[in-house]
Amino acid sequence: MTTRQGRVGPVIEVVGDLDMASSPQLRDRLLEVVETGARTVVVDLTRVGFVDSSGLGALVLVYKSLQERGGWLGLAVVRQSIRNVFSITSVDRVIPLFDTVRDAEDGSAAAVR
């Protein structure tokens, strides 16, 4: 997991699986970014092969935290199997999914306007 400054805010890149073992680390990293004042955050899941309910829970928790602060969270997701998890659980109705980090950053600008 790495954090870098993107065009509109922090980009958190996750590699591997987002599951019970890794989701607490993602949650803590995202909450830390939010606590330091970030209002637009993109999570890059393009190199993630699996997401379980704990991963979804971490993302929803951070989404709510950002919403309370007038912020925005977007997800870059390439794999159809991962998109299906977000669709089946209806998380994609709340947190927007994009094909690339660049698309998410462009989408954040539109959402914030």
Side-chain angles (χ1 to χ4, degrees), residues 36-51:
T36 61
R39 294 295 173 261
T40 302
V41 180
V42 174
V43 179
D44 182 355
L45 300 174
T46 58
R47 295 175 55 196
V48 168
F50 174 79
V51 175

Side-chain angles (χ1 to χ4, degrees), residues 46-101:
T46 58
R47 295 175 55 196
V48 168
F50 174 79
V51 175
D52 72 6
S53 60
S54 65
L56 291 173
L59 292 167
V60 169
L61 175 78
V62 172
Y63 166 81
K64 288 179 179 180
S65 181
L66 275 166
Q67 285 289 297
E68 291 170 0
R69 294 169 157 87
W72 183 88
L73 176 67
L75 307 176
V77 182
V78 174
R79 293 186 181 178
Q80 190 58 48
S81 60
I82 304 297
R83 285 179 170 269
N84 289 345
V85 170
F86 286 102
S87 177
I88 289 168
T89 58
S90 299
V91 171
D92 64 343
R93 293 184 186 181
V94 178
I95 305 173
L97 306 182
F98 299 89
D99 292 332
T100 66
V101 168

Side-chain angles (χ1 to χ4, degrees), residues 3-40:
T3 304
R4 66 177 171 80
Q5 184 59 39
R7 291 183 300 134
V8 297
V11 175
I12 313 299
E13 180 184 13
V14 182
V15 178
D17 293 340
L18 184 52
D19 56 19
M20 284 180 47
S22 60
S23 61
Q25 181 184 3
L26 175 63
R27 180 198 63 229
D28 292 347
R29 174 80 54 91
L30 285 167
L31 289 174
E32 178 183 308
V33 165
V34 172
E35 290 299 321
T36 61
R39 294 295 173 261
T40 302

